[in-house]
Amino acid sequence: MSEKVKDLRGTRLSAADLESKDTITFRGRPNAKYAWSAGIAYTKYLEELKNGRIVGRRCRQCDRVLVPPRMFCEQCFRATDEWVYVKGTGKINTYSISYLDADANRIKTPILVAVVDLDGASPGIGILHKLGNVDIEKIHVGMPVQAVWKPTNEREGSVTDILYFEPIKEE
Amino acid sequence: MNVKRRVAVVGAGITLFRRRLKETGKELSYLAANAALESAGMTMDDIDCVVMGTAPDAFDGIHMKADNLLDGAGATRKPYSRVYVGGGTGVFSPIGGWWHIASGLFDTCLVVAEEKMSPCIPHPQTAFRTIWDPIITRPLNPNLVWIFALEMNRYMKTYNIPKEHIAMVAVKNKGNALDHPSAQLAAKITVEDVLNSETMVWPVQRLDISPPSDGAAALVLTSEDVARKFTDAPVWIDGVGWSLDSAYWTNRDLCFPQYVAEAAKMAYKMAKITDPPKEVDFAEPYDPFTYKELHHMEGLLLAKKGEAPKLTAEGVTQRDGDLPMCPSGGLLGVGNPIAAAGLMKCCEMFWQLRNEAGKRQVSGAETGVAQAWGDLMQVGTVTVFRR
């Protein structure tokens, strides 16, 4: 704001004002529904998750193994070349501990979230997932973890076919 | 780079920033646009074209809302366009205005940015549920704060940054905002207050986050010839830059925002800045979270990688320090009506460079840099203003 300007423009409205019958407000809720095709790359990715395997795509030009897979390399801007299975193990790249649900409601039992760099993918190629069966105090960047899968008959071809990643017990 | 004409800023205006404002988005746009025109000594008759910056439609709940907002921006029957790059929109909107004039196509452009987040109830966070890839991310039920917490932790771990240093950004910006009449969350707080505030998504705590807000801001841009007719003290847009990275944010190292650095390099090259920390007098880096001011100082090449927290702890970024950051009070203090918050940063540069910032004035300010950021941590927008 300029010191030359003396009038402040805008009228504050409280939460109570917005709820109150004295204030004219209108309510609505969109009712749009969608059905998405998973596409070429993700269809294979999800089918393989159902099989208990994680698949990526290799770009031979930059020699990266990309997970999640895509049919083209966004850096080389050419078609990727082949399907490559990566491991269900990896290391925590970064993590956080969420006391908020998807709608920003407070939750008592935190959701443990991480980016996991998968073994067999290129360095720095990670996926977003959850952590489980882990002592919160012991989670750290670089921690070796492994995928814990849903029982075969409960898998549906979704990223949630992996329940979470848990620490690999050190021998 | 072939820039045909120099572009001036000759007016700026903003509304109050508040959690909820009674005015509609259109009415807010009008208030800010008119304030900017008054500050320039112009009327709508002097304006050739209008650029609107407004961020996700889902907050206002009006699909393709720029068309709805058009009347409030004074754009009826004028060349009008909306620019949009998520949270980066506020600083991108004057870049959109700059194209119109630098190209020689128009002599004057009104740039308006509006955001009303309050209509989305009970919390605008719900609108972010549809930002995610529906196939591979939405089934995990993510909250948008997750990704910032993941980035913050990566940044802290990579450079071994103490949380205390990050908390100082909230103390500084909320304190700076005490001198900003529009501010929503100005406060005198301590580092302990930040560290003791509720943990939302660790390491992000309550006082690390900027609030949802309603508000609008506007700038008047002109060619050099027109600027000379209206003012003796034009402010120049000497550099603009923007860059976007892939939406596959889990496939790159989050410790450094390379796309911000690309945008900054473009803007510095245009402004002929070769040593940013020496040649920039103050900056308004995008600060929706405390750590982002530090991350962006480094992305803007105003600090070496991992060193912005140390500079902050040493007081370098205070308003009376060697390299002030967010003298306005930033998003943490003034508020975060997304697109309007980014443009507020450009308004602040205008007032600082005209020596009109009152108690917020940075002494000897001649060159300022504003920056915004957004989408899935993938966009950097940068402007360099000089007096």
Side-chain angles (χ1 to χ4, degrees):
Chain A
M1 184 61 81
S2 168
E3 62 181 350
K4 293 180 180 172
V5 174
K6 300 301 171 201
D7 62 324
L8 301 177
R9 302 179 186 202
T11 311
R12 184 176 170 273
L13 186 72
S14 69
D17 289 337
L18 197 59
E19 300 287 328
S20 125
K21 287 181 182 144
D22 301 334
T23 305
I24 307 287
T25 57
F26 293 85
R27 287 174 183 249
R29 176 174 210 154
N31 186 24
K33 291 181 179 157
Y34 301 85
W36 289 281
S37 158
I40 310 300
Y42 290 170
T43 295
K44 171 84 170 173
Y45 184 55
L46 299 178
E47 282 171 354
E48 289 294 2
L49 287 173
K50 200 170 179 179
N51 295 331
R53 295 190 293 206
I54 303 172
V55 71
R57 287 282 291 181
R58 185 195 308 278
C59 170
R60 286 198 194 122
Q61 187 161 313
C62 61
D63 202 31
R64 290 191 306 159
V65 174
L66 304 168
V67 185
R70 40 263 199 194
M71 301 313 293
F72 59 91
C73 173
E74 80 280 2
Q75 290 186 7
C76 305
F77 211 63
R78 61 186 287 281
T80 48
D81 300 283
E82 60 191 335
W83 297 101
V84 178
Y85 291 102
V86 302
K87 293 184 179 166
T89 59
K91 290 194 172 63
I92 294 177
N93 174 292
T94 183
Y95 66 95
S96 74
I97 301 162
S98 181
Y99 294 90
L100 295 183
D101 72 8
D103 289 315
N105 297 308
R106 270 47 168 192
I107 47 175
K108 283 259 159 33
T109 308
I111 304 165
L112 308 177
V113 190
V115 174
V116 176
D117 288 347
L118 295 166
D119 293 332
S122 295
I125 297 287
I127 60 167
L128 174 70
H129 219 288
K130 295 177 186 175
L131 300 174
N133 195 21
V134 59
D135 181 348
I136 289 185
E137 300 297 320
K138 290 188 177 156
I139 304 173
H140 60 271
V141 170
M143 185 182 220
V145 291
Q146 62 191 0
V148 175
W149 298 85
K150 272 186 186 167
T152 313
N153 59 355
E154 290 176 23
R155 289 182 208 149
E156 51 192 350
S158 165
V159 291
T160 54
D161 288 348
I162 296 174
L163 289 166
Y164 50 79
F165 283 78
E166 66 174 8
I168 296 174
K169 303 273 183 304
E170 293 183 42
E171 298 297 323
Chain B
M1 273 174 202
N2 178 14
V3 177
K4 292 191 172 163
R5 300 204 291 177
R6 207 175 187 198
V7 177
V9 188
V10 298
I14 61 172
T15 66
L16 290 176
F17 285 6
R18 289 292 181 272
R19 174 68 179 86
R20 296 170 200 80
L21 288 171
K22 187 170 185 178
E23 285 80 4
T24 62
K26 214 180 287 200
E27 288 168 339
L28 288 177
S29 300
Y30 172 77
L31 294 180
N34 226 0
L37 289 169
E38 281 171 23
S39 129
M42 287 182 166
T43 69
M44 220 39 232
D45 293 340
D46 298 310
I47 298 297
D48 295 339
C49 60
V50 178
V51 169
M52 169 61 73
T54 189
D57 289 346
F59 290 137
D60 287 56
I62 299 171
H63 189 46
M64 302 196 292
K65 64 176 170 172
D67 304 347
N68 174 280
L69 296 169
L70 172 146
D71 305 57
T76 48
R77 296 187 299 275
K78 285 190 194 293
Y80 175 72
S81 55
R82 173 191 191 175
V83 296
Y84 176 77
V85 280
T89 299
V91 174
F92 197 53
S93 54
I95 295 176
W98 178 90
W99 295 330
H100 286 73
I101 295 169
S103 63
L105 203 55
F106 298 102
D107 287 327
T108 58
C109 180
L110 176 65
V111 177
V112 184
E114 176 274 358
E115 214 73 57
K116 252 182 103 76
M117 298 174 75
S118 65
C120 186
I121 55 172
H123 195 283
Q125 183 66 43
T126 303
F128 279 129
R129 292 189 80 146
T130 54
I131 196 174
W132 308 100
D133 183 287
I135 317 296
I136 57 161
T137 314
R138 272 192 229 185
L140 295 170
N141 250 336
N143 177 303
L144 196 63
V145 184
W146 286 10
I147 66 174
F148 309 128
L150 290 165
E151 184 180 66
M152 179 171 174
N153 196 20
R154 181 75 187 167
Y155 177 57
M156 287 169 66
K157 282 292 179 315
T158 303
Y159 301 113
N160 200 19
I161 296 165
K163 187 86 201 291
E164 288 75 6
H165 290 182
I166 294 178
M168 286 173 181
V169 175
V171 177
K172 171 178 67 69
N173 291 5
K174 287 176 190 293
N176 283 351
L178 288 166
D179 298 323
H180 200 303
S182 292
Q184 178 181 346
L185 281 184
K188 193 169 163 38
I189 58 166
T190 64
V191 167
E192 286 67 38
D193 292 335
V194 182
L195 298 179
N196 292 331
S197 65
E198 181 188 3
T199 299
M200 314 292 277
V201 184
W202 186 90
V204 174
Q205 291 176 262
R206 178 88 207 159
L207 291 175
D208 287 309
I209 308 187
S210 60
S213 316
D214 289 357
L219 287 182
V220 180
L221 312 187
T222 70
S223 64
E224 184 161 7
D225 290 351
V226 172
R228 301 287 183 204
K229 285 181 202 156
F230 283 91
T231 178
D232 296 331
V235 166
W236 303 101
I237 303 182
D238 275 353
V240 301
W242 65 101
S243 175
L244 282 89
D245 208 334
S246 156
Y248 291 105
W249 58 274
T250 63
N251 284 182
R252 53 186 143 89
D253 200 326
L254 301 175
C255 71
F256 182 74
Q258 187 60 41
Y259 47 93
V260 172
E262 300 301 330
K265 284 180 202 166
M266 175 178 166
Y268 293 150
K269 187 178 176 195
M270 198 181 293
K272 298 186 169 57
I273 289 173
T274 54
D275 187 354
K278 286 219 168 63
E279 295 172 61
V280 171
D281 299 314
F282 71 99
E284 284 280 340
Y286 202 60
D287 62 323
F289 295 84
T290 45
Y291 82 98
K292 288 309 308 186
E293 172 169 311
L294 307 168
H295 210 230
H296 289 150
M297 263 181 85
E298 294 170 20
L300 289 168
L301 312 174
L302 295 172
K304 292 188 180 125
K305 290 181 184 178
E307 289 195 358
K310 192 166 138 272
L311 296 178
T312 304
E314 290 168 1
V316 171
T317 62
Q318 295 287 332
R319 202 184 274 149
D320 59 359
D322 286 344
L323 189 49
M325 292 291 136
C326 293
S328 66
L331 278 52
L332 290 163
V334 186
N336 187 13
I338 316 227
L343 195 57
M344 176 276 286
K345 288 178 170 291
C346 296
C347 291
E348 180 70 9
M349 295 209 292
F350 176 77
W351 293 317
Q352 289 285 349
L353 295 168
R354 299 245 293 196
N355 212 15
E356 288 180 22
K359 287 186 191 166
R360 300 189 314 285
Q361 188 63 47
V362 171
S363 67
E366 296 194 358
T367 302
V369 172
Q371 174 256 336
W373 163 88
D375 294 336
L376 290 176
M377 309 192 289
Q378 61 191 115
V379 53
T381 52
V382 176
T383 54
V384 177
F385 283 14
R386 280 204 188 99
R387 72 176 182 199

